Amino acid sequence: MHLIASLFLSSSAVAIQESTNPLQARRDKILIEALLRIPKADVKKDEKTNALVLRFLKNTKDGNLFLKVIEHTEPENSTQLLWDFAQSDRATDSTAVQAIESALNRQGESIISQWIADNKQKENAHLVVSKLALANHAKVPAILSRVVTDPDATSPMVAVAAQGMARNKSGQTTLIAFAKDGKLRGDAKPLVAGALRSSTDQTIAASAAELFPLPMSKDQKPLPPIEELAKRSGKTSEGEKLFRGVATCANCHLVKGFGKSVGPDLSEIGNKLTREAMFVAILDPSAGISHNYESHILQTDSGEVATGLLVSQTDTEIILKDSQGIERKFPREEVTEFKKQEKSLMPENLHHNFDEQGLIDIVEYMLSLKKE
């Protein structure tokens, strides 16, 4: 059979062309099936065979076959092909993870790390990192650890990376060490706290209990871990009422024209944050402050202290917007101290204004705010 397949491939390879049509696709599939019957060591590494393989890989929708062909033929740039496939809509979660593991087996760490560096501020990049976090490979923890300490990565990307690390003891140990050293991103802390507190390693569990105390609800009872809250569903209509009312969210945020423009416009927040990240944003607003929404504080020579968002600053004046949305101007010559704060302008403990179900309802409402 191997000899027949090899002869068939050799005689048909001359027909290989760059363009692909239904007839060519059928012919390619037959040739690929023939290649798969040849021992891997005997597969030719010539230009025509490589062209056939690359064209087939580009067009096939069968993820399992894609991986099988890569493994058997080892085409040029196979590592990049695997990583590109893992990101594509042709890959299921399962085949994406297999492709990532295969890419890492081919020294693909630099390709993956570079992609993360280039895409760490893009809206949906966390979806790819979530698949990376599921991969069972020794190089994955190191890649994820760089994400959870990166100040420029999006909150959703940090979230999936941190949750991926929290799935095993090695990652848990690293997260505890990062937290103790102040390296762990604030928006990652609430997302891994539950897994670390419930670790089977008593040392890790004890450290987590000290480092990540449970937030309290309105009735001063500890809230469940975020991963448990995220499994529950709420009522969008009730969440909207709270958002516009006792939760005071509309005092600082616009939603489709309603509210005040102090903090970020939340009209499309449902496209930007995961359910878990929504809870973090409410329970710990200083954990992940949006770029350009950092709070600043200044003091004048007369002793006046002002806090707000930086609107602009020049050599002659500084303009801050306070929590009421009022812009205030300060002559630079009168300012004795001016610095960025690590705390958000958004008040802490807003969740004390409503009960546990109210918190879930608000998150449900925020998730419904998507681009129309």
Side-chain angles (χ1 to χ4, degrees):
M1 175 63 74
H2 296 157
L3 177 59
I4 295 174
S6 181
L7 290 172
F8 177 58
L9 177 60
S10 298
S11 63
S12 302
V14 294
I16 296 174
Q17 302 170 2
E18 285 302 315
S19 61
T20 302
N21 53 49
L23 179 60
Q24 181 71 64
R26 287 194 295 272
R27 184 182 295 118
D28 284 354
K29 192 170 188 304
I30 293 171
L31 293 172
I32 288 296
E33 290 173 347
L35 270 180
L36 294 177
R37 291 186 177 94
I38 301 172
K40 181 175 180 177
D42 296 340
V43 174
K44 292 183 177 180
K45 299 294 183 181
D46 57 29
E47 182 178 346
K48 290 180 179 180
T49 303
N50 195 63
L52 162 67
V53 170
L54 293 178
R55 187 172 61 244
F56 178 80
L57 293 174
K58 178 181 178 180
N59 293 291
T60 185
K61 293 181 172 57
D62 186 332
N64 289 311
L65 184 55
F66 179 99
L67 296 172
K68 187 175 181 180
V69 171
I70 288 273
E71 186 65 33
H72 193 75
T73 64
E74 296 290 350
E76 295 177 6
N77 301 317
S78 58
T79 305
Q80 187 67 57
L81 290 170
L82 287 162
W83 178 241
D84 291 343
F85 169 78
Q87 302 168 54
S88 74
D89 56 10
R90 293 185 293 163
T92 62
D93 286 349
S94 179
T95 55
V97 169
Q98 291 176 57
I100 291 169
E101 292 173 350
S102 187
L104 288 171
N105 286 336
R106 292 168 169 77
Q107 310 303 314
E109 183 178 4
S110 60
I111 289 176
I112 295 173
S113 295
Q114 186 60 55
W115 183 93
I116 292 174
D118 293 341
N119 292 272
K120 62 185 177 182
Q121 293 188 332
K122 292 188 178 177
E123 191 169 295
N124 292 319
H126 68 283
L127 299 176
V128 178
V129 177
S130 68
K131 295 172 183 175
L132 171 65
L134 293 172
N136 183 23
H137 196 282
K139 294 180 179 179
V140 170
I143 299 173
L144 296 180
S145 67
R146 290 193 287 271
V147 174
V148 300
T149 56
D150 190 332
D152 298 323
T154 64
S155 288
M157 181 180 285
V158 171
V160 296
Q163 289 170 320
M165 292 181 67
R167 292 190 185 105
N168 58 70
K169 183 179 176 180
S170 173
Q172 290 176 356
T173 301
T174 301
L175 290 170
I176 290 291
F178 282 165
K180 288 181 176 179
D181 294 341
K183 296 179 180 178
L184 183 61
R185 282 258 304 247
D187 44 355
K189 293 177 182 178
L191 296 172
V192 299
L196 296 177
R197 283 194 298 264
S198 59
S199 175
T200 55
D201 185 300
Q202 294 305 307
T203 301
I204 292 174
S207 296
E210 180 179 346
L211 290 165
F212 312 114
L214 284 166
M216 308 297 284
S217 64
K218 181 180 179 181
D219 57 8
Q220 293 302 300
K221 293 181 179 179
L223 286 168
I226 286 179
E227 58 266 31
E228 291 184 22
L229 289 170
K231 294 176 182 177
R232 295 168 57 182
S233 58
K235 293 183 179 179
T236 301
S237 58
E238 293 301 315
E240 182 176 11
K241 291 178 186 177
L242 287 170
F243 186 95
R244 295 188 173 200
V246 298
T248 70
C249 306
N251 289 355
C252 293
H253 298 284
L254 278 172
V255 171
K256 304 186 188 305
F258 182 89
K260 292 184 179 180
S261 181
V262 179
D265 188 323
L266 301 182
S267 299
E268 298 176 1
I269 192 66
N271 289 121
K272 299 174 182 178
L273 294 184
T274 63
R275 185 180 292 269
E276 290 86 353
M278 294 282 194
F279 283 107
V280 173
I282 297 171
L283 296 174
D284 191 357
S286 296
I289 305 173
S290 300
H291 180 59
N292 292 331
Y293 287 95
E294 300 93 345
S295 178
H296 289 70
I297 186 170
L298 63 73
Q299 183 172 344
T300 66
D301 53 15
S302 64
E304 181 182 4
V305 176
T307 303
L309 301 178
L310 178 63
V311 177
S312 66
Q313 63 172 319
T314 66
D315 292 338
T316 58
E317 73 174 5
I318 296 172
I319 302 177
L320 296 181
K321 182 188 288 187
D322 65 21
S323 60
Q324 302 303 311
I326 305 300
E327 293 186 5
R328 304 181 63 197
K329 298 181 180 180
F330 300 88
R332 175 75 74 167
E333 61 184 14
E334 297 178 6
V335 176
T336 58
E337 186 176 2
F338 177 60
K339 62 182 180 181
K340 184 189 296 184
Q341 291 187 300
E342 293 186 3
K343 283 193 172 294
S344 170
L345 193 62
M346 178 176 165
E348 295 181 347
N349 299 322
L350 281 178
H351 56 286
H352 289 176
N353 295 333
F354 38 86
D355 59 16
E356 184 178 309
Q357 185 57 48
L359 173 62
I360 294 167
D361 290 340
I362 288 178
V363 168
E364 198 72 47
Y365 168 62
M366 294 172 67
L367 285 167
S368 73
L369 302 175
K370 297 183 178 182
K371 189 174 182 179
E372 296 179 350

